[in-house]
Amino acid sequence: MSSGLVHRLSATTCRGFSLLRFFSPLTNASEGPKENDTLESTHGFIHPTAVVHPDAILGQGVSIGPFCVIGPTAKLGNDCQLYPGSNIFGNTELGDNCILMSGAVIGEDIPGYTIIGCNNVIGRYSVVGVKCQDLKYKAGTECFLEIGDNNDIREYTSIHRSSKPNDKTVIGDNNLIMGSCHIAHDCKVGNNNIFANNTLIAGHVVVEDYAHTAGATAIHQFCHIGSNSFIGGGAVVSQDVPRYTMVSGDRAQLRGLNLEGLRRSGFSATEVRSLRAAYRKLFMPTKVDCGSIKDRLTEIEQNEEYTAAPAVLSMIKSIRDSLQEDRRGICKFRSWSGL
């Protein structure tokens, strides 16, 4: 192993395996310690079997375990931890306090970049920021992935970069992405979402905030998943899920409001009553000749009883947007007695 790729300094122990201690600020990994460095603010660890390119930039307190590989254009923020066998390739940047569990692979040596914010955990054998699986992708094309802060990305998850240079895959903050999930190219995922195990999200899907999928959910390309919605286990979602609603089945159908999700998100009893009334008006009409769904949307928008609640207007906008020509429409309705 080239001595230029590995820092060989005094030995110590960290998290159960032997590591090497190094002292350097956020600077080129090949540079030596500064005279004014202090142990408290700058100490970190690099195991002698790790391969760290001399051009990689490492922050203070970075810990790198056995058999890790860090490429020449990688940038690691302060106090990042790389467990054994994790790897960082390509133009990849990690914020402060990120943790890569054993076997995780971040980035790829292709044009573009992968940017990951602070306080993220990347699970064992996850693959994040690699080339997409879109056959329309052309080799050499720039592609991008941006991930926010405080995300828990569990084992065997795959998250791909965009398929074209004028777009990017984006994941926000505070998301829990459980084991074996897949988020494809050009997706836009908001904040505070929970994706249960084996949730599969195809390309160009938009997920807003506080959405929750149960296990083994599959979401079709270009679908929109509204805020505070819930998708039942094993559902195949081929059309949009409006805000605040619950869907399940193959193909997924509307089953009512996501009442538990609304309660957890702090919606008031008055807001929930208004949403229930609007939902019934839209999807459970009592009149035989009740017009089209667009007619019912207009009737709700013109009724002050409904429009007094901002949540109702938000749900109506979500549905109207889904009915545009360039969208997939909303999931079909199925009556559910628990509404």
Side-chain angles (χ1 to χ4, degrees):
M1 182 181 298
S2 172
S3 60
L5 298 181
V6 179
H7 298 272
R8 300 182 179 277
L9 300 174
S10 58
T12 186
T13 301
C14 178
R15 294 186 179 272
F17 46 76
S18 177
L19 298 172
L20 290 185
R21 175 170 296 184
F22 73 101
F23 307 96
S24 65
L26 183 57
T27 176
N28 189 292
S30 62
E31 295 180 4
K34 306 291 186 180
E35 290 183 359
N36 59 352
D37 287 345
T38 61
L39 174 64
E40 291 79 6
S41 63
T42 62
H43 74 278
F45 310 91
I46 298 182
H47 192 272
T49 62
V51 178
V52 181
H53 195 280
D55 292 333
I57 297 176
L58 307 182
Q60 299 176 358
V62 172
S63 299
I64 302 175
F67 307 109
C68 295
V69 177
I70 299 180
T73 53
K75 299 178 182 179
L76 280 67
N78 299 327
D79 300 309
C80 288
Q81 301 177 48
L82 276 64
Y83 278 68
S86 54
N87 303 278
I88 301 177
F89 301 116
N91 186 12
T92 298
E93 181 176 339
L94 267 65
D96 296 342
N97 301 300
C98 286
I99 298 174
L100 272 59
M101 303 302 292
S102 298
V105 177
I106 309 298
E108 187 171 358
D109 289 318
I110 56 176
Y113 62 70
T114 297
I115 297 178
I116 298 177
C118 300
N119 304 309
N120 293 290
V121 179
I122 312 297
R124 292 169 177 82
Y125 303 101
S126 292
V127 180
V128 176
V130 298
K131 183 178 69 174
C132 69
Q133 297 174 148
D134 188 347
L135 295 178
K136 295 187 296 295
Y137 173 80
K138 297 180 180 179
T141 301
E142 287 189 320
C143 49
F144 309 101
L145 168 64
E146 295 180 4
I147 296 178
D149 303 330
N150 306 308
N151 295 288
D152 189 359
I153 300 170
R154 295 300 300 268
E155 58 275 4
Y156 298 102
T157 289
S158 58
I159 302 175
H160 292 171
R161 292 199 214 173
S162 61
S163 62
K164 47 192 177 182
N166 61 345
D167 205 345
K168 61 182 70 172
T169 305
V170 178
I171 296 176
D173 305 328
N174 304 304
N175 296 290
L176 172 56
I177 303 173
M178 298 186 193
S180 302
C181 289
H182 173 65
I183 300 176
H185 57 89
D186 307 294
C187 286
K188 305 294 185 291
V189 176
N191 307 316
N192 302 291
N193 297 292
I194 299 175
F195 301 149
N197 299 72
N198 297 292
T199 292
L200 308 177
I201 302 179
H204 304 280
V205 168
V206 175
V207 183
E208 296 181 350
D209 302 327
Y210 294 98
H212 189 170
T213 70
T217 295
I219 302 176
H220 194 280
Q221 293 92 336
F222 294 98
C223 284
H224 282 56
I225 310 301
S227 296
N228 298 98
S229 60
F230 180 84
I231 301 175
V236 177
V237 180
S238 57
Q239 293 179 287
D240 293 358
V241 178
R243 291 171 188 159
Y244 318 131
T245 63
M246 179 167 56
V247 302
S248 64
D250 178 14
R251 294 305 194 246
Q253 297 180 337
L254 285 163
R255 304 298 179 102
L257 294 175
N258 180 21
L259 297 176
E260 181 61 22
L262 295 174
R263 183 190 66 81
R264 292 180 180 181
S265 295
F267 283 69
S268 69
T270 300
E271 289 175 306
V272 172
R273 282 195 298 270
S274 296
L275 285 169
R276 275 179 156 172
Y279 186 96
R280 289 193 178 100
K281 180 71 175 179
L282 283 171
F283 302 114
M284 305 170 66
T286 56
K287 298 179 181 178
V288 175
D289 184 13
C290 57
S292 68
I293 187 170
K294 291 184 177 180
D295 294 334
R296 298 196 294 275
L297 287 169
T298 300
E299 188 175 344
I300 290 174
E301 290 169 331
Q302 295 174 349
N303 190 325
E304 294 182 359
E305 179 183 352
Y306 298 113
T307 56
V312 172
L313 294 177
S314 179
M315 183 176 71
I316 296 304
K317 183 179 186 306
S318 173
I319 296 170
R320 276 207 180 277
D321 290 345
S322 294
L323 297 178
Q324 299 298 317
E325 289 186 1
D326 60 341
R327 296 278 290 272
R328 296 189 59 81
I330 63 172
C331 291
K332 299 298 187 291
F333 168 73
R334 177 176 175 179
S335 180
W336 181 62
S337 60
L339 176 66

